[in-house]
Amino acid sequence: MLPSHPRKALIRVILGAVALAAVAAFAPQPGPDTPRQWTFWQSDGLAWLAPEAGAVPADGSVIGWRFGVSPDGTGTDSPREVPAFDDVCGGQAAASGRKRVVLAVDFGDGEVDAYPGDTPPQSTVTCVVAPSSATSLQLLSSEATRPRVDDSGNVVAVSGYPAKNNTTGKELPISQAAGAPSASASAEDGAPVLLIAGGAVAVAAGVGVFLLLRRRSA
């Protein structure tokens, strides 16, 4: 049998746990009009920090985007997972003018953060290889995520989530996505090919004329 004092301490712990559980159970759930938003985060290797959304992450960075409830409009909780760079991008070789960045996209808790009736997609962690100048928003943009932004450049939807924001703002053009070639780059890449092809045609035509003249002279 426990002595009197330890038994009292144990009872206090149990009662405290029960009280916390009761508060959590009866805490008001966020309603359909409770503000929610996407926020940007960057890991220092141990925890998530909140830098500017326009930041330009360096090679080896770990960044995250999180959707969640923001009752006072100051932000949401950070992504629930802090991935390690080596675990996600460790096998990806670095290249000149490019960078490797771990991108975590957390769609939030279905019971706490989601709008009523919404089911958040599965959160993802990927290794993005992009130009060294790519911003956090460009690193987020891809065919799979297709983020939408408002007039201030704030992300309002990712991968079509939340659904109610999928018709607001504007979709970030995929041409701005990390690693996507620009129109000028494509044109520059295509110019040498056209020149080589044109040169080959000219040489072939010249050879044909030379052979035809030789036959006539013979």
Side-chain angles (χ1 to χ4, degrees):
M1 183 174 181
L2 288 174
S4 177
H5 292 303
R7 187 166 61 245
K8 288 181 179 178
L10 178 60
I11 291 173
R12 289 196 187 102
V13 170
I14 294 173
L15 289 176
V18 170
L20 288 175
V23 169
F26 292 100
Q29 294 298 307
D33 297 324
T34 303
R36 295 160 169 84
Q37 64 179 345
W38 282 95
T39 50
F40 171 64
W41 302 81
Q42 187 160 350
S43 170
D44 64 357
L46 298 174
W48 290 108
L49 307 176
E52 293 294 326
V56 179
D59 179 64
S61 295
V62 176
I63 66 172
W65 290 85
R66 167 74 190 264
F67 180 76
V69 171
S70 177
D72 55 4
T74 60
T76 65
D77 292 332
S78 61
R80 290 166 290 180
E81 178 183 356
V82 184
F85 177 83
D86 288 342
D87 292 343
V88 184
C89 286
Q92 181 69 52
S96 177
R98 311 282 286 178
K99 62 184 176 185
R100 303 151 302 160
V101 176
V102 174
L103 171 66
V105 180
D106 189 334
F107 294 90
D109 185 283
E111 295 183 1
V112 177
D113 299 308
Y115 286 106
D118 273 2
T119 300
Q122 180 90 22
S123 296
T124 62
V125 176
T126 55
C127 180
V128 178
V129 180
S132 299
S133 60
T135 65
S136 56
L137 188 55
Q138 290 171 327
L139 289 164
L140 173 65
S141 181
S142 70
E143 289 287 350
T145 56
R146 291 187 173 274
R148 299 186 69 85
V149 298
D150 61 17
D151 292 338
S152 299
N154 299 312
V155 175
V156 295
V158 178
S159 299
Y161 186 84
K164 68 175 295 182
N165 291 351
N166 206 31
T167 55
T168 62
K170 60 183 179 181
E171 186 176 295
L172 187 69
I174 298 303
S175 60
Q176 295 182 22
S182 64
S184 59
S186 298
E188 290 171 2
D189 291 343
V193 176
L194 293 176
L195 290 175
I196 293 170
V201 171
V203 170
V207 171
V209 171
F210 174 75
L211 293 175
L212 180 60
L213 291 174
R214 286 196 59 182
R215 287 177 184 173
R216 288 182 178 177
S217 63

